[in-house]
Amino acid sequence: MHESWKKYLQAEFAKPYFTELSDFLKKAYVGHTIYPPKGQVFSAFKTPLDDIKVVIIGQDPYHGPRQAHGLAFSVQPEVDIPPSLKNIFKEINSDTGQPIPDNGNLQRWANQGVLLLNNTLTVEAHRAGSHRGHGWEQFTDTMIRLLSDQRDNLVFLLWGRDARNKKSLINDSKHLVLEAAHPSPLSAHNGFFGCKHFSKANVYLTMNGKPPIEW
């Protein structure tokens, strides 16, 4: 993680709920296959706090081999692009004209100040949602509140019910909050396609003196 996050994260690490979460994870990593690998769980926090311009909230990490690496919706370059990310790329192409990439690694977004934060940061292999209810939600809620309080004029992209439930954590009088259906093939046609979140985000950033994101 970047130095700018450490004092905030260390404060959370010292709380009883996180101690319980850590104990759970230690056992989980010993007894099961867990994604992402230990060293990549906090990859999203490598983006400096003061550099963040856009926050995208995912659900839990991909639960297949070699997919998750700590950034929501992102996969390693050599892995097939998952369906939800394909739909994100389709919407970007339709919205901005940006060509569809040949891989699903979103590190280039993180490098530009996009925080790709999952609701839970770990998952057991082939068991979607398996690490919910163990403390990650309290941790990520705290990080969202922190961003809302500490920064101005951020863009929060909330896709799907889980992400939209975070809206109450965000001060929408000083940030842009955009909501849509989840990009999953099951729901993308219910309001994700055509949402134009990517161009709207860039218009807002530009209006507030920040460089737009090259999606």
Side-chain angles (χ1 to χ4, degrees), residues 52-53 147 151-156 175-176 204 210:
I52 290 169
K53 298 182 286 188
L147 286 161
R151 300 295 312 284
D152 294 317
N153 306 128
L154 299 182
V155 180
F156 288 85
H175 301 291
L176 177 64
Y204 181 82
K210 299 180 182 183

Side-chain angles (χ1 to χ4, degrees), residues 24 28 31-35 60-65 67 120 122-132 134:
F24 165 76
H32 305 278
T33 300
I34 305 299
Y35 299 121
D60 46 340
Y62 297 119
H63 51 80
Q67 290 182 308
T120 60
T122 55
V123 68
E124 185 177 332
H126 311 301
R127 291 189 62 213
S130 52
H131 284 189
R132 294 187 181 193
H134 290 280

Side-chain angles (χ1 to χ4, degrees), residues 34-51:
I34 305 299
Y35 299 121
K38 279 184 183 179
Q40 297 176 349
V41 171
F42 294 102
S43 291
F45 298 97
K46 290 181 180 177
T47 302
L49 178 59
D50 290 340
D51 289 353

Side-chain angles (χ1 to χ4, degrees), residues 3-212:
E3 191 70 30
S4 57
W5 286 99
K6 284 190 176 177
K7 68 177 180 179
Y8 302 108
L9 296 186
Q10 286 170 351
E12 287 305 296
F13 296 162
K15 293 180 180 179
Y17 86 89
F18 203 93
T19 300
E20 292 180 16
L21 173 59
S22 296
D23 290 342
F24 165 76
L25 291 173
K26 285 174 187 173
K27 294 173 184 175
Y29 271 98
V30 170
H32 305 278
T33 300
I34 305 299
Y35 299 121
K38 279 184 183 179
Q40 297 176 349
V41 171
F42 294 102
S43 291
F45 298 97
K46 290 181 180 177
T47 302
L49 178 59
D50 290 340
D51 289 353
I52 290 169
K53 298 182 286 188
V54 177
V55 181
I56 298 178
I57 300 171
Q59 295 179 345
D60 46 340
Y62 297 119
H63 51 80
R66 299 181 297 111
Q67 290 182 308
H69 62 115
L71 303 179
F73 292 105
S74 181
V75 292
Q76 301 283 13
E78 69 277 6
V79 177
D80 289 343
I81 300 174
S84 292
L85 185 53
K86 283 183 180 179
N87 287 340
I88 291 171
F89 287 158
K90 286 178 184 176
E91 175 60 20
I92 291 171
N93 175 253
S94 172
D95 182 18
T96 70
Q98 192 85 351
I100 293 175
D102 60 4
N103 73 82
N105 190 301
L106 302 181
Q107 183 62 51
R108 65 187 183 280
W109 292 4
N111 293 344
Q112 297 176 75
V114 180
L115 182 69
L116 295 157
L117 182 65
N118 276 316
N119 190 30
T120 60
L121 301 193
T122 55
V123 68
E124 185 177 332
H126 311 301
R127 291 189 62 213
S130 52
H131 284 189
R132 294 187 181 193
H134 290 280
W136 277 131
E137 294 89 343
Q138 183 173 343
F139 174 81
T140 51
D141 283 1
T142 301
M143 295 303 107
I144 293 165
R145 284 195 200 93
L146 169 70
L147 286 161
S148 177
D149 293 344
Q150 295 286 327
R151 300 295 312 284
D152 294 317
N153 306 128
L154 299 182
V155 180
F156 288 85
L157 303 184
L158 309 182
W159 301 331
R161 183 184 61 191
D162 285 357
R164 295 171 86 166
N165 285 342
K166 307 293 187 185
K167 185 176 181 180
S168 63
L169 306 173
I170 304 162
N171 181 350
D172 60 7
S173 69
K174 65 171 185 168
H175 301 291
L176 177 64
V177 181
L178 299 175
E179 301 178 67
H182 195 275
S184 160
L186 299 174
S187 55
H189 290 280
N190 294 330
F192 179 77
F193 288 137
C195 70
K196 299 188 181 299
H197 280 186
F198 305 96
S199 60
K200 290 176 181 177
N202 279 347
V203 167
Y204 181 82
L205 292 173
T206 302
M207 286 174 55
N208 286 281
K210 299 180 182 183

